[in-house]
C-alpha cells in the first residue's frame, strides 16, 4: 500500500509500532528539484521519520525538522502536520560535491558544526506563544540513530527506528516501548515482558533493501507472523505546501522596511519562490508600501483592486 501510515500494537504488551510508506508525496517533493542520491536518501528518511514521530507524539500541530549543515548540504527542512501533510526541501552549498553513499556526518556535520533542531509548533497557539524547540545532537551515522537518541532524551521512551529512502519511495518502521506504569497501560494485568526484545530482534533482521522493496503490510506480516498484532485504521501521508502570499508578506515585514527598501532599490521588484513547492510570489514597490502602511497583514496582501473598506 503506497502512501500509508499503519499503527500496530503487540497484543497484551507494552510495545507499539508504526510503519510508513511515502511514495507519491515523496515523488512530488522531488519534482521541484533533483538532489544527489545521498541527499535524496537522507531527506527521504527524514520525511519518513517526521511522519512516524507526528503520528507517535499525538501532537496537534506541526513537527519541523531542520538541519543547518556545515558540509555540502547547507539546509534540510521537513515538516509534517497532525494530519500527515508533509513538505520538504534541501539546499546544497554552492558547487557542493556529494559522493555517492555519503553519510549523515559527511553531508551535514563535516566540521562538527551542524545543527539539528526539532520544533513542535502547536496548531492552536495563543497570541505570543512560542513553538517548542529542541536541539538534537548530530551524534550518529544515520537519521534513525540521531532520532532514537532524541526520543530517549526528550520523551524518555525507548524508541527504535528503521528508515530507508531512494528516488521512488521513503519507508520507515518505528517501535516503542511504553512505560511500565501509567494510564495507557494500567489495563494490563500481566503484560508480555519479553515482547519488546522479540519485536526489536525481529525488526533488526530487516535489511535496507528489504525495507525499500517490500510494501509495509507484507513487511508487518513477514516480521511478526508469529505474534498477535492489533492494527489500527491506516492513515494517509500527503504532500501539500502551506505557503501563501500572506506568509511571504509577513516574512518580508519581519525583515524591516529599511532592508526591503534597499532590496527594492537594487532589484526594482522582489521575486520570491517557495523553496518547498516552487510557487512564485512577486512584491513590487506598491505592494511593499502597502505591506508596511496597512494595519493588518490580511489587508496588505490582498491583490490590487480587492481592498475592502
Ligand atoms: Zn510553497
Amino acid at each position: 500500500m503506497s502512501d500509508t501510515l499503519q499503527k500496530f500494537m503487540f497484543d497484551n504488551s507494552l510495545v507499539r509500532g508504526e510503519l510508513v510508506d511515502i511514495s507519491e508525496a515523496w515523488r512530488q517533493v522531488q519534482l521541484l528539484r533533483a538532489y544527489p542520491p545521498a541527499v535524496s536518501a537522507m531527506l527521504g528518511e527524514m520525511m519518513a521519520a517526521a511522519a512516524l514521530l507526528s503520528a507517535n507524539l499525538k501532537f496537534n500541530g506541526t513537527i519541523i525538522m531542520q538541519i543547518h549543515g556545515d558540509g555540502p548540504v547547507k539546509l534540510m527542512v521537513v515538516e509534517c502536520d497532525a494530519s500527515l501533510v508533509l513538505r520538504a526541501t534541501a539546499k546544497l552549498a554552492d558547487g557542493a560535491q556529494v559522493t555517492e553513499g555519503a553519510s549523515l556526518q559527511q553531508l551535514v556535520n563535516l566540521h562538527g558544526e551542524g545543527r539539528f533542531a526539532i520544533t513542535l509548533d502547536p496548531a492552536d497557539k495563543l497570541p505570543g506563544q512560542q513553538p517548542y524547540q529542541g536541539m538534537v545532537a548530530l551524534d550518529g551515522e544515520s537519521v534513525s540513530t540521531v532520532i532514537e537518541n532524541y526520543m530517549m532524551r526528550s520523551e524518555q521512551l525507548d524508541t527504535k527506528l528503521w528508515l530507508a529512502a531512494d528516488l521512488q519511495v521513503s519507508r520507515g518502521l518505528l517501535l516503542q516501548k511504553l512505560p511500565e506504569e501509567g494510564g495507557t497501560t494500567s489495563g494490563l494485568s500481566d503484560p508480555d515482558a519479553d515482547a519488546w526484545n522479540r519485536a526489536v530482534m525481529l525488526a533488526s533482521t530487516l535489511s535496507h533493501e528489504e525495507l525499500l522493496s517490500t510494501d509495509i503490510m507484507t513487511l508487518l506480516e513477514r516480521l511478526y507472523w508469529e505474534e498477535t498484532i492489533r492494527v489500527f485504521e491506516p492513515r494517509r501521508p500527503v504532500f501539500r505546501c502551506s505557503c501563501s502570499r500572506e506568509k511571504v508578506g509577513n516574512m518580508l515585514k519581519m525583515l524591516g522596511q529599511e532592508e526591503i527598501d534597499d532590496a527594492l532599490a537594487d532589484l526594482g521588484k522582489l521575486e520570491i519562490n517557495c523553496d518547498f513547492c516552487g510557487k512564485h510570489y512577486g512584491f513590487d514597490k506598491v505592494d511593499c508600501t502597502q505591506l508596511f502602511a496597512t494595519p493588518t497583514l490580511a489587508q496588505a496582501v490582498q491583490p490590487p483592486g480587492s481592498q475592502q473598506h
Side-chain angles (χ1 to χ4, degrees):
M1 281 200 290
S2 82
D3 294 281
T4 302
L5 186 138
Q6 180 66 61
K7 281 192 177 201
F8 57 92
M9 188 103 200
F10 288 72
D11 204 30
N12 191 40
S13 81
L14 303 170
V15 181
R16 65 180 174 187
E18 292 170 17
L19 275 156
V20 71
D21 172 299
I22 306 173
S23 302
E24 178 56 25
W26 177 219
R27 197 183 63 81
Q28 284 177 284
V29 166
Q30 296 178 97
L31 270 183
L32 187 64
R33 239 174 252 125
Y35 299 109
V39 176
S40 236
M42 185 174 158
L43 191 66
E45 289 188 8
M46 280 174 66
M47 288 250 297
L52 291 168
L53 250 56
S54 176
N56 182 255
L57 293 175
K58 294 200 186 82
F59 165 74
N60 181 26
T62 302
I63 292 187
I64 304 158
M65 294 185 175
Q66 197 162 24
I67 297 182
H68 289 274
D70 68 351
V73 178
K74 273 170 67 182
L75 182 71
M76 271 197 190
V77 186
V78 173
E79 297 183 8
C80 182
D81 77 7
S83 43
L84 300 183
V85 172
L86 291 140
R87 61 177 194 168
T89 186
K91 208 173 267 173
L92 272 65
D94 291 336
Q97 299 286 329
V98 180
T99 48
E100 189 138 4
S103 71
L104 175 139
Q105 296 297 332
Q106 290 166 330
L107 290 174
V108 299
N109 202 28
L110 201 57
H111 308 287
E113 284 169 16
R115 284 178 294 120
F116 186 178
I118 294 185
T119 305
L120 303 180
D121 191 12
D124 44 8
K125 266 201 305 280
L126 300 167
Q129 186 185 347
Q130 295 297 312
Y132 319 100
Q133 193 177 68
M135 293 309 291
V136 184
L138 277 169
D139 51 0
E141 284 301 321
S142 65
V143 175
S144 53
T145 312
V146 166
I147 307 250
E148 282 169 5
N149 292 341
Y150 164 79
M151 290 298 280
M152 197 40 147
R153 281 178 206 139
S154 71
E155 307 283 314
Q156 276 91 47
L157 287 177
D158 245 327
T159 309
K160 286 276 178 196
L161 281 161
W162 290 264
L163 305 168
D166 59 14
L167 301 182
Q168 277 74 46
V169 69
S170 149
R171 289 210 182 95
L173 163 65
L174 176 147
L175 291 175
Q176 193 165 61
K177 188 182 179 185
L178 299 169
E180 302 281 338
E181 285 164 308
T184 52
T185 60
S186 57
L188 293 177
S189 55
D190 183 22
D192 177 353
D194 186 49
W196 172 249
N197 292 334
R198 290 200 312 278
V200 172
M201 197 194 69
L202 288 165
S204 302
T205 65
L206 189 63
S207 74
H208 195 257
E209 284 311 309
E210 200 178 359
L211 185 52
L212 283 177
S213 61
T214 320
D215 84 83
I216 59 172
M217 292 317 280
T218 308
L219 279 175
L220 187 61
E221 172 72 23
R222 201 181 280 175
L223 286 173
Y224 299 125
W225 62 277
E226 280 185 300
E227 305 283 338
T228 310
I229 300 277
R230 281 189 293 140
V231 294
F232 298 84
E233 194 63 31
R235 297 179 61 196
R236 190 169 173 79
V238 293
F239 166 81
R240 199 183 315 129
C241 192
S242 54
C243 70
S244 67
R245 190 168 172 83
E246 183 172 348
K247 286 182 186 169
V248 174
N250 204 358
M251 190 259 304
L252 293 176
K253 212 169 169 173
M254 271 162 44
L255 291 174
Q257 181 138 27
E258 209 173 318
E259 186 113 344
I260 297 299
D261 285 347
D262 285 352
L264 280 172
D266 284 350
L267 307 163
K269 188 179 179 190
L270 305 183
E271 312 278 1
I272 294 125
N273 291 319
C274 175
D275 284 334
F276 293 96
C277 71
K279 193 167 177 191
H280 173 80
Y281 296 96
F283 283 78
D284 63 14
K285 214 168 168 11
V286 175
D287 296 329
C288 291
T289 306
Q290 278 184 336
L291 208 57
F292 287 99
T294 45
T296 69
L297 273 173
Q299 283 169 279
V301 297
Q302 274 171 2
S306 68
Q307 269 108 341
Q308 285 162 6
H309 297 277

